[in-house]
Amino acid sequence: MKYIKYFEDINIDDVNIVGGKNASLGEMITQLTSQGIRIPTGFAITADAYWHYLNANQLVEKMKTIMNNLSDVHDIAALQRAGSEVRKLIISGTIPEDLKEEIITAYDQLSQHYGVKATDVAVRSSATAEDLPTASFAGQQDTFLNVSGEKQLLEACKKSMASLFNDRAIVYRVEQGFDHFKVALSIGVQKMIRSDTAVSGVAFSLDTETGFKDVVMIEASYGLGESIVQGLVTPDEYMVHKPTLDQGYAPIIKKMCGDKKTKIIYAHDSAHVKTVHVAVGDQKKFALTNDEILELARFVVIIEKHYSTLKKNWSPMDVEWAKDGHDGKLYIVQARPETIFAGKNQLLLQQYVLKNSSEERTPLISGLSIGHKIVSGTARVVKSAQDIAHIQADDIIVTEMTDPDWVPVMKRAAGIITDRGGRTCHAAIVSRELGIPAIVGTKDATKKIKNGKMITIDCSSGTYGAVYHGKIEYTVETIQLDKIPTSPAAIMTNCADPDSAFQTSFLPVTGVGLARLEFIITNSIKVHPMALIHPEQIEDKRIVHEINELTAAYDKKTDFFVEQLACGVGMIAAAFYPRPVIVRLSDFKSNEYHNLIGGEYFELAEENPMIGFRGASRYYNERYKEAFALECQALLYVREKMGLKNVKIMIPFVRTVQEAEKVVQEMKLHGLARGKDGLEFIMMCEIPSNVILIEEFSNYFDGFSIGSNDLTQLILGIDRDSTIIASLFDERNEAVKKMMLMAIEGAHKKEKYIGICGQAPSDYPEIAQFLIDAGIDSLSLNADSVVAFLINKD
């Protein structure tokens, strides 16, 4: 046939004939199905067919006249008028008989292939200038779903050709320097996967916020995939670590259950699709099983490796996938290059920091953070498409959700805030490609933010960002990481927040000297672990309901604790892999445990919890040992199931040598045996007894880490929570320094590693230098102190 090419006859070199999307589909079908990737087949209507259609209807000159009258694509009214006129021209044409016959023949053959009379297909636009390394942008043309029968297919083909002159596509070509009449449109006709009765989503072969290479990020929601792109839902989010996946492990390092209240399904009247509510029980479940998450991740890795080999350079990919509700299998339906990070210099680090960040501020609203920037501007609350023409340069758009036709206006904006959406919704994708900060999924920004008010968007602190009243000053520091000098002692970093781990991993450090479990438990789990083990002891129905809501995605409440804790640790370990990550077991005080959900039923009030029931003393005590077993299960999961053997385990607040022996034995009972698969135990050196008896403690541990905060309070007899005597608390005290020196000498006498993870070297350069001169093996600094220390240490 002259105007039809089947996907099995297409490869990546056919972009000029069938456009970027179709060329990619053909490449994957011909090259990757043998590796187990399932891709629904179909055919491409070529770019020649597009010209044939225009010429047969004598449209080209009329279209050129309209476009020549559009002098400024940033004149929104004129742009909308010109685009509408051209699209109407194209849709009003008649498909030539020879082209019509070929389309129907190809469609009939596709239907026969799937054993039906008129199969359901997706009709996708595939322009010859899209998805190029120097010119890529999301959602330039339209896609039509659940198209069935010859009549619907032919109508969709005309609409698809017309979408080459969507407002956003017109602006895109002008800004990229493409001639409107040298870009053609091919149409992809692909068998629909029945995800309307199952699940669909997107996947990226990197972290979309930081560009971190070693993960696959997957988003999933019920029904057809458009619900994610349109921002109708906050989808589930999963992450898989690629290096240990390749080694045969099951490294799902993030599982977040999204707000999946609606889904798009097939419609059976004049409309092709419709939006319906999801059953409440299903909203709270994960849309994919662990096995499905891992299978998808393997598909994405195979695709990335193939395109990286083709291009002889790392080629991260943006993949669309769907699960068929009839056969229960996962399919790849589209893949395009991810171009934001592919050519980015990862050695160039930009740090945005709010000035006077220690001041207490109450955010107006918070949501998922897109990008890492801070920006101030005038809030423009956009409630309908008619309002977008009023957006001025440096305004911040506040809306329920952006529309693809808004892209020309979004390019003017300083930032974007939406009520709805996840990290791969339209607003998020466009914001990344424009390089402007956004906060999505705030739920009610359009109600809480007043039109015309000055606001500040802060996306500098990881996964979640905040919006504040007024203009807040900030600083921007650009750092060339490969130009930073080295240090005589190994420089590590402290890391508590899994969501900031990828960004922190770019720092020139040798690993993580302290990863705290407390942050993960407080922010991701929120529930006292004993409340999950013994929910029958909780009498308050309100608390019971809250716990049930948090754990709804899990059959067993304790599985919630183990898997979410493992994911938090796994994120940090994966970020720095294969560099060592020292994970400290929980060191909440009893008052802090009391503040967790359900904690009041399991914690006793203590007069001085700082030196009370904390650290190692809990792990073998009947009041907590069941909960400690869950911590051990989580760390065993990280090392053995995820394959993250770079994790070392640190035990805090070990008061006596006998206590050290008890804890080591308790951990062994739960599968964490020192030396097994290279597992190392590190002890916090933060009690005077630890220093005095360091040689005896060395029999149970592979190394030590000085905790300067607790060591100082116990040497000087100061409760570090006390404001009355706070001025006396000083790690530079000679007694403290002498103790630290004794610890270093004692550890080295027994040929053990010793570092420091306390606050002192981050706050006081002179302490850092003192420790280096004393021969300490490593300094673990707060992330915001690492670069400053390395630059200024001389």
Side-chain angles (χ1 to χ4, degrees):
M1 288 190 281
K2 186 177 180 181
Y3 299 112
I4 300 294
K5 283 183 75 77
Y6 294 98
F7 287 149
E8 288 80 2
D9 300 323
I10 296 170
N11 61 45
I12 201 65
D13 295 325
D14 293 322
V15 173
N16 290 335
I17 303 170
V18 296
K21 285 189 183 72
N22 289 336
S24 181
L25 275 171
E27 179 72 20
M28 290 192 295
I29 285 172
T30 57
Q31 302 299 317
L32 301 183
T33 51
S34 61
Q35 296 186 51
I37 295 182
R38 292 180 287 273
I39 306 162
T41 193
F43 58 91
I45 303 168
T46 66
D48 284 345
Y50 169 79
W51 293 121
H52 180 43
Y53 178 84
L54 295 189
N55 291 330
N57 288 279
Q58 300 180 336
L59 297 178
V60 176
E61 291 306 316
K62 297 174 185 175
M63 292 162 61
K64 283 183 177 179
T65 299
I66 295 169
M67 296 310 298
N68 288 338
N69 288 333
L70 179 62
S71 57
D72 180 9
V73 293
H74 298 108
D75 180 338
I76 301 300
L79 171 67
Q80 292 173 337
R81 187 166 53 250
S84 177
E85 289 178 14
V86 172
R87 292 192 297 273
K88 284 178 182 176
L89 268 180
I90 295 172
I91 291 172
S92 65
T94 302
I95 298 177
E97 282 302 317
D98 56 344
L99 175 57
K100 180 178 177 180
E101 184 179 325
E102 287 194 12
I103 294 171
I104 291 172
T105 299
Y107 177 66
D108 288 344
Q109 289 179 1
L110 182 64
S111 297
Q112 288 172 26
H113 176 80
Y114 284 101
V116 293
K117 183 178 179 182
T119 191
D120 48 343
V121 294
V123 178
R124 305 180 189 277
S125 308
S126 181
T128 56
E130 71 181 350
D131 296 342
L132 303 178
T134 57
S136 180
F137 210 85
Q140 284 305 305
Q141 283 82 45
D142 294 338
T143 294
F144 304 92
L145 304 176
N146 187 24
V147 173
S148 181
E150 296 172 4
K151 182 180 178 181
Q152 284 190 359
L153 174 59
L154 295 173
E155 191 64 27
C157 287
K158 291 201 290 182
K159 290 179 180 177
S160 182
M161 286 187 278
S163 75
L164 188 60
F165 284 85
N166 280 338
D167 299 349
R168 57 192 183 275
I170 293 170
V171 175
Y172 169 76
R173 286 193 294 274
V174 169
E175 293 183 343
Q176 293 292 338
F178 293 125
D179 186 324
H180 294 298
F181 298 95
K182 290 186 178 177
V183 174
L185 189 127
S186 171
I187 301 167
V189 179
Q190 184 183 30
K191 173 70 175 78
M192 282 283 292
I193 297 302
R194 289 301 304 269
S195 62
D196 63 306
T197 59
V199 186
S200 63
V202 293
F204 292 82
S205 64
L206 81 174
D207 174 49
T208 55
E209 292 311 306
T210 63
F212 182 72
K213 296 180 177 183
D214 285 347
V215 291
V216 174
M217 188 191 99
I218 298 167
E219 290 197 337
S221 192
Y222 300 117
L224 303 177
E226 284 297 295
S227 62
I228 293 178
V229 177
Q230 293 176 17
L232 298 178
V233 296
T234 300
D236 290 354
E237 185 177 327
Y238 315 111
M239 281 197 183
V240 179
H241 184 232
K242 290 192 284 189
T244 48
L245 180 71
D246 280 347
Q247 295 169 29
Y249 292 100
I252 302 171
I253 59 172
K254 183 174 186 179
K255 284 182 71 176
M256 185 192 80
C257 194
D259 176 7
K260 308 177 292 291
K261 291 184 177 179
T262 61
K263 62 180 178 179
I264 298 175
I265 64 171
Y266 281 14
H268 299 291
D269 48 24
S270 58
H272 296 298
V273 295
K274 63 181 179 180
T275 301
V276 298
H277 287 286
V278 173
V280 174
D282 289 337
Q283 293 175 25
K284 297 171 183 177
K285 294 178 182 176
F286 291 115
L288 292 176
T289 66
N290 285 359
D291 286 344
E292 289 169 338
I293 294 166
L294 293 168
E295 183 178 32
L296 265 179
R298 292 187 194 101
F299 284 177
V300 173
V301 168
I302 290 169
I303 293 168
E304 181 190 66
K305 285 180 178 178
H306 178 75
Y307 281 93
S308 296
T309 300
L310 273 181
K311 297 179 181 181
K312 299 179 180 177
N313 199 13
W314 178 54
S315 180
M317 300 298 291
D318 171 352
V319 175
E320 185 179 329
W321 60 270
K323 178 181 176 180
D324 194 295
H326 290 181
D327 65 18
K329 294 178 181 179
L330 294 166
Y331 293 83
I332 301 299
V333 296
Q334 196 178 155
R336 65 190 284 266
E338 193 285 339
T339 58
I340 299 169
F341 289 103
K344 190 174 180 179
N345 180 5
Q346 295 285 11
L347 294 173
L348 198 63
L349 179 68
Q350 273 196 324
Q351 291 183 323
Y352 283 70
V353 181
L354 284 175
K355 286 190 176 179
N356 304 317
S357 59
S358 61
E359 292 180 3
E360 287 293 325
R361 293 193 186 90
T362 302
L364 278 169
I365 202 84
S366 62
L368 292 171
S369 174
I370 307 301
H372 295 278
K373 295 181 179 179
I374 300 171
V375 71
S376 298
T378 303
R380 296 296 175 198
V381 180
V382 179
K383 295 184 177 177
S384 67
Q386 285 72 32
D387 298 329
I388 63 174
H390 302 298
I391 303 296
Q392 302 298 313
D394 299 326
D395 283 350
I396 294 175
I397 297 173
V398 183
T399 187
E400 189 175 351
M401 175 46 60
T402 61
D403 182 276
D405 284 327
W406 294 17
V407 171
V409 175
M410 293 166 74
K411 291 182 178 182
R412 297 182 192 169
I416 297 167
I417 304 168
T418 70
D419 289 345
R420 298 189 280 107
R423 290 174 66 186
T424 55
C425 69
H426 179 265
I429 293 171
V430 172
S431 295
R432 286 190 200 99
E433 292 179 330
L434 294 176
I436 61 175
I439 296 180
V440 302
T442 64
K443 293 187 171 63
D444 51 5
T446 51
K447 295 177 182 175
K448 291 189 174 180
I449 297 174
K450 302 299 181 186
N451 187 52
K453 295 291 185 181
M454 177 63 66
I455 57 173
T456 297
I457 289 179
D458 178 15
C459 292
S460 66
S461 301
T463 296
Y464 293 96
V467 181
Y468 297 98
H469 268 304
K471 183 175 183 179
I472 302 174
E473 296 299 320
Y474 60 91
T475 59
V476 184
E477 187 176 9
T478 302
I479 303 156
Q480 188 72 32
L481 294 176
D482 57 347
K483 304 294 184 186
I484 293 176
T486 57
S487 168
I491 301 302
M492 305 178 84
T493 188
N494 299 334
C495 186
D497 180 8
D499 290 324
S500 65
F502 294 157
Q503 187 71 19
T504 304
S505 74
F506 297 135
L507 292 171
V509 294
T510 60
V512 175
L514 172 62
R516 300 180 183 91
L517 295 192
E518 294 84 25
F519 187 94
I520 302 167
I521 293 170
T522 301
N523 290 277
S524 297
I525 296 170
K526 304 177 183 178
V527 184
H528 194 292
M530 292 297 289
L532 299 171
I533 298 167
H534 292 292
E536 75 281 356
Q537 294 186 26
I538 300 173
E539 299 170 358
D540 189 326
K541 291 181 180 179
R542 212 171 22 85
I543 295 176
V544 171
H545 175 74
E546 192 172 3
I547 292 173
N548 288 340
E549 287 291 297
L550 284 168
T551 60
Y554 293 84
D555 293 332
K556 291 174 61 181
K557 290 176 170 43
T558 50
D559 289 346
F560 163 72
F561 184 92
V562 171
E563 188 169 73
Q564 287 301 313
L565 186 57
C567 284
V569 172
M571 283 274 281
I572 299 172
F576 289 86
Y577 185 86
R579 291 172 285 176
V581 172
I582 301 174
V583 178
R584 189 180 72 187
L585 296 167
S586 65
D587 192 25
F588 281 128
K589 289 73 179 173
S590 53
N591 57 326
E592 294 167 333
Y593 268 118
H594 184 279
N595 291 333
L596 294 173
I597 298 169
E600 63 200 76
Y601 290 93
F602 301 96
E603 295 297 328
L604 298 176
E606 292 188 284
E607 289 294 329
N608 193 345
M610 188 63 78
I611 53 172
F613 189 41
R614 61 175 287 201
S617 300
R618 279 185 169 262
Y619 306 153
Y620 58 88
N621 189 287
E622 292 299 327
R623 297 189 66 88
Y624 190 79
K625 65 187 299 184
E626 289 177 284
F628 180 63
L630 299 184
E631 289 187 38
C632 291
Q633 286 177 41
L635 290 169
L636 193 67
Y637 190 107
V638 170
R639 284 182 54 88
E640 296 195 351
K641 193 159 187 176
M642 295 181 179
L644 293 163
K645 304 291 175 68
N646 58 324
V647 165
K648 303 180 182 186
I649 299 176
M650 183 148 67
I651 295 87
F653 226 75
V654 186
R655 291 174 165 96
T656 68
V657 175
Q658 292 75 22
E659 191 165 68
E661 183 178 11
K662 286 181 180 179
V663 171
V664 169
Q665 284 300 319
E666 194 71 25
M667 293 171 69
K668 190 174 183 179
L669 284 175
H670 301 298
L672 293 171
R674 182 179 169 209
K676 182 184 176 184
D677 289 331
L679 175 58
E680 293 185 10
F681 289 172
I682 309 296
M683 188 186 86
M684 287 289 290
C685 185
E686 55 190 345
I687 302 172
S689 63
N690 300 155
V691 180
I692 295 165
L693 298 177
I694 197 163
E695 293 185 36
E696 288 80 359
F697 280 110
S698 294
N699 295 324
Y700 299 95
F701 299 99
D702 301 285
F704 301 91
S705 184
I706 297 171
S708 56
N709 292 352
D710 275 318
L711 190 61
T712 301
Q713 81 163 339
L714 294 171
I715 290 170
L716 299 181
I718 295 172
D719 180 350
R720 59 188 172 98
D721 281 349
S722 171
T723 55
I724 300 172
I725 53 174
S727 61
L728 295 175
F729 186 93
D730 192 340
E731 294 101 321
R732 295 169 295 182
N733 183 279
E734 286 302 316
V736 179
K737 288 169 66 178
K738 189 167 184 177
M739 274 286 196
M740 290 194 286
L741 184 59
M742 288 171 60
I744 294 168
E745 290 172 348
H748 285 165
K749 184 178 178 181
K750 298 294 286 187
E751 298 183 340
K752 299 289 184 177
Y753 154 88
I754 186 165
I756 184 169
C757 61
Q759 188 66 26
S762 294
D763 289 345
Y764 305 115
E766 62 268 38
I767 286 290
Q769 192 59 53
F770 165 76
L771 292 168
I772 290 171
D773 293 341
I776 200 163
D777 296 310
S778 71
L779 305 177
S780 193
L781 307 174
N782 296 337
D784 58 3
S785 302
V786 169
V787 172
F789 171 78
L790 288 171
I791 291 173
N792 299 320
K793 69 178 180 61
D794 296 328

